[in-house]
Amino acid sequence: MAGDLSTRDALGIIVVSALGTHAIFKRWEIKHILVVSTLLLFLPAALSTLLIPHLGSFKGIAAGFSVYFITLLSSITLYRISPFHPLAHYPGPLLPKISKIYHIAKVSSGKQHLYLQELHNQYGDIVRFGPNEVSIRDASCIMPVLGAQGMPKGPMWQGRHFWTEVHTLIGFRGPKAHQRRRRPWNRAFNTAAMKEYTPLMQNRVRELGDALVARQGQVVDLAEWIGFFTYDFMGDMVFGGWTNMVREGGDRERLWEVVKSGLKIEFIYDNIPWLSYYTRNIPGAGNAELRAMAIGQTEKRYSRTSTSKDLFYYLGNEDGAEKEDPPKHTVVVDGGLALVAGSDTTSSVLSSIFYCLLRHPDTYDRLQAEVDKFYPPGEDSLDPSHLSDMNYLEAVISEGLRLFPAVPSGSQRAPEIGTGGKLVGPYYIPEGTQTRIHFWSVHRDPRYFSRPEAFWPDRWLIAEGLQAHAAGDEPFVHNPNAWTPFSFGPSNCVGKNLALQEMRMLLVHLMHRLTVRLADGWDPAQYERDMEDRFVFSIGRLPVVVERRD
Ligand code: HEM
C-alpha cells in the first residue's frame, strides 16, 4: 500500500497530518502523555514508513520526521503571528508572539519588571508578550481584571503547583473553592487575631535591634538581616516557632537556600505551565525539599496543642469555626505558602524602604524626627499604640510599596473557562489569554502619580490633605486606585495588615535605637541593579553601618 503512493502523495499525507495535529492541540490543549506521545512520536514514525519505499529506511524516517515537525512548527508560528489569532490586534514584539521561550530567555536575568515597562512605553497600555499572554498598564482595568467580578487565577498557578489537586490558597483557580479556602485565612488576619501576633512580632523586632546593636560600627547587610527577621517571625506566626536566624546570625536550617533555589525554577513554570505537567515526577524538579521541611514543621505543630493562636490555629480549625476539620495535607501546603508569601515580600519592601531613606537623607531625617516625637528617649518603641498617628511613617511605607512593590509584575488571571472571554475596560480578553496588571508600570505612570520615578512620601500627605502642595509646582496628580502593591479584589494579599504592622514596628524600633548609614565605598545604585523579578522581588545586598543612638 505504502509502495503505491508516490513520494509527493506521501509528503502530502504527512503535511496534512501535521496540520491536523496542530488543530488538535489548539482545540483541546491536550496534555495526557499517551495522546501527546502518539501525536508527536508514534504518528510521525508511522507516517515516515510511507517514505521508506522511496528513500530507504534511514532517509525515509529522517525526512518523515523533519517534514512533520517543520510543518507543525511552521503552522503554529504562522498562526500565532497571523491576523486570525485572537490576540492579533494587540501590539507587541514579534518573537514573544511565537513562543514564550523568547520571553524566558529575555528576562532570565531577573529584569522582567523593566522589560515589561519598556514594552508598555513602546507599545502602549496593553502589550502581547507571549503567544497567549498580555500585560496591562491601565488603572481602569484593575477592577475588571482583579475585582470581585473579575477573572480567576491564570494557569501559571497550575504550573507552579505541578498540576496537583492539592492547591495552596493562592493556587485556586475556581473562585468558589478559593472563597471557601480563604475563610480561615480571613479569620487568621482579622483585628482580634492580629493582636495575638503582636507579642511575637515585638519579640522578633527586639531581637533584630539587639543583633544590630551588637554589630554597631561594622558593615552589615541590612537586607539580609531583615530577611532573617521576616523568616523568624513567619516561623513563629505559622508554626508557633521554627527558625532563629537572627539569634544565630545565619540560616542554619538552610531554609533560605531551599526557598531561593525554588524561585528560579518556578519562574519557568509560571511562563510555561504545561512543562511541570511532564516534569512533576522527576525527583528534584519541584520544590520537594521545601515541602518536606514544611511537612516536618506541620507534624511537629500537630503533635502539640497551641500555646498561642498562630496561623495554624485557624488553618487547622483549632478555633472550631468550620464544621469539618480540613485534611492535614491542605494545612501543610498552606503553611508553606504563608512562610514564603509572608517573608520575602515583607523583607524586600522593608529593605527597599531603607534603601530609599538612605538615598534621600532629607526623608530619613524627617522620619527620624517623627519617630523621636512619638517615641522620645526612654519610650518603649515596641509599643504599637502611637503607630497609627505617624503620618509620615505611613507615607514612607506607601511610597516604598509604590516604587518597589514586592510582586512587581502582578499575579496572573485568565477569563473563566467556558465564558469565551471577558471585556476589561476597552479591551476584549479572549478565553485562553493569560492576563496581568503590571503593577510596576502602573505605579510609575505619570498619568497616575506626579514625579512617578521619585521617592516622594509627601505625595501621600498632600493627597490626604495633611500637607499643602507647594505653590508654583506642577499640577499634582495622584490616583490611589492605581496603587495596588497588595493586589486587589477577593484574592488580594490576605496578610496585608500584618505586613504593614510589621513594617511600621520594625522601622520605628530600628530608627529609635540606631542610626543607619550606607557603607563607605558601596555604590547604592547596585541595589536596584541586583533586584530580580522572580514573581516576588529577589533582592541583593544593602551594606550599611549602624550606630547606637543611646
Ligand atoms: C509587604 C508585604 C507583602 C506584599 C507587598 C504582598 C503582596 C501580595 C500580592 C501582590 C499577592 C497576590 C494577590 C493576587 O493574586 O492578586 C499576595 C497574596 C498573598 N499574600 Fe501577600 N504580600 C505581603 C505580605 C504578606 C504576608 C506578611 C503574608 C502572611 C502570611 C502574606 C500572605 C499572602 C497570601 C496567603 C496570599 C494569597 C492570597 C489569596 O490567593 O487569596 N502576604 N500578596
Side-chain angles (χ1 to χ4, degrees), residues 153 169-170 178 182 185 234 341-342 345 411 413 485 487 491 493:
K153 296 275 169 77
L169 172 74
I170 204 166
H178 174 267
R182 176 112 175 191
W185 281 88
M234 284 318 291
T345 47
S411 169
R413 300 291 193 270
S487 193
S491 298
C493 176

Side-chain angles (χ1 to χ4, degrees), residues 1 32 65 87 93 163 217 219 235 249 307 328 369 383 386-387 411 429 479 504 508 514 525:
M1 161 73 183
H32 196 288
F65 268 88
L87 297 181
W163 302 83
V219 175
T307 45
K328 196 168 167 182
D383 170 5
H386 303 303
L387 296 178
S411 169
I429 307 293
N479 180 350
R504 291 181 194 117
V508 165
L514 300 157

Side-chain angles (χ1 to χ4, degrees), residues 157-164 269 276-277 279-280 285-287:
W157 293 105
Q158 270 159 307
R160 280 197 158 217
H161 287 95
F162 287 80
W163 302 83
T164 65
Y269 295 134
S276 66
Y277 187 86
T279 60
R280 59 190 164 163
N287 217 345

Side-chain angles (χ1 to χ4, degrees), residues 146 153 157 168-172 178 181-182 185-186 189 233-234 237-238 311 334-335 337-350 397 401 404-408 410-413 439 484-500 502-503 535-536:
L146 299 170
K153 296 275 169 77
W157 293 105
T168 61
L169 172 74
I170 204 166
F172 273 95
H178 174 267
R181 185 65 166 275
R182 176 112 175 191
W185 281 88
N186 286 337
F189 288 99
F233 173 55
M234 284 318 291
M237 256 276 313
V238 181
L311 180 65
D334 268 359
L337 165 69
L339 186 81
V340 178
S343 307
D344 283 342
T345 47
T346 316
S347 66
S348 88
V349 175
L350 267 169
I397 292 173
L401 283 160
F404 297 106
V407 181
S411 169
Q412 198 187 67
R413 300 291 193 270
F439 298 152
T484 51
F486 294 102
S487 193
F488 181 84
S491 298
N492 73 346
C493 176
V494 72
K496 173 182 173 183
N497 290 334
L498 182 79
L500 286 170
E502 230 178 310
M503 293 195 280
F535 179 60
V536 172

Side-chain angles (χ1 to χ4, degrees), residues 382-460:
L382 292 166
D383 170 5
S385 50
H386 303 303
L387 296 178
S388 55
D389 298 322
M390 298 181 67
N391 296 328
Y392 195 68
L393 172 69
E394 210 56 29
V396 164
I397 292 173
S398 300
E399 187 65 347
L401 283 160
R402 185 187 69 82
L403 275 179
F404 297 106
V407 181
S409 295
S411 169
Q412 198 187 67
R413 300 291 193 270
E416 200 160 354
I417 294 161
T419 55
K422 187 161 171 50
L423 193 65
V424 166
Y427 312 112
Y428 184 72
I429 307 293
E431 187 175 329
T433 308
Q434 294 110 56
T435 311
R436 62 180 68 222
I437 302 286
H438 195 231
F439 298 152
W440 175 275
S441 293
V442 175
H443 285 189
R444 289 168 180 251
D445 188 323
R447 290 171 300 175
Y448 309 127
F449 298 103
S450 306
R451 304 186 204 167
E453 299 287 339
F455 179 68
W456 187 36
D458 298 55
R459 75 176 79 242
W460 299 93

Side-chain angles (χ1 to χ4, degrees), residues 104-150:
I104 294 176
K106 185 83 190 166
V107 302
S108 60
S109 61
K111 299 300 169 205
Q112 176 176 247
H113 56 302
L114 299 178
Y115 174 61
L116 288 180
Q117 186 185 28
E118 219 176 276
L119 291 186
H120 280 300
N121 290 341
Q122 189 177 346
Y123 294 98
D125 284 344
I126 185 160
V127 176
R128 183 176 167 200
F129 71 102
N132 299 306
E133 187 149 8
V134 292
S135 170
I136 299 178
R137 181 198 59 183
D138 178 342
S140 74
C141 296
I142 290 173
M143 175 127 50
V145 171
L146 299 170
Q149 308 305 320

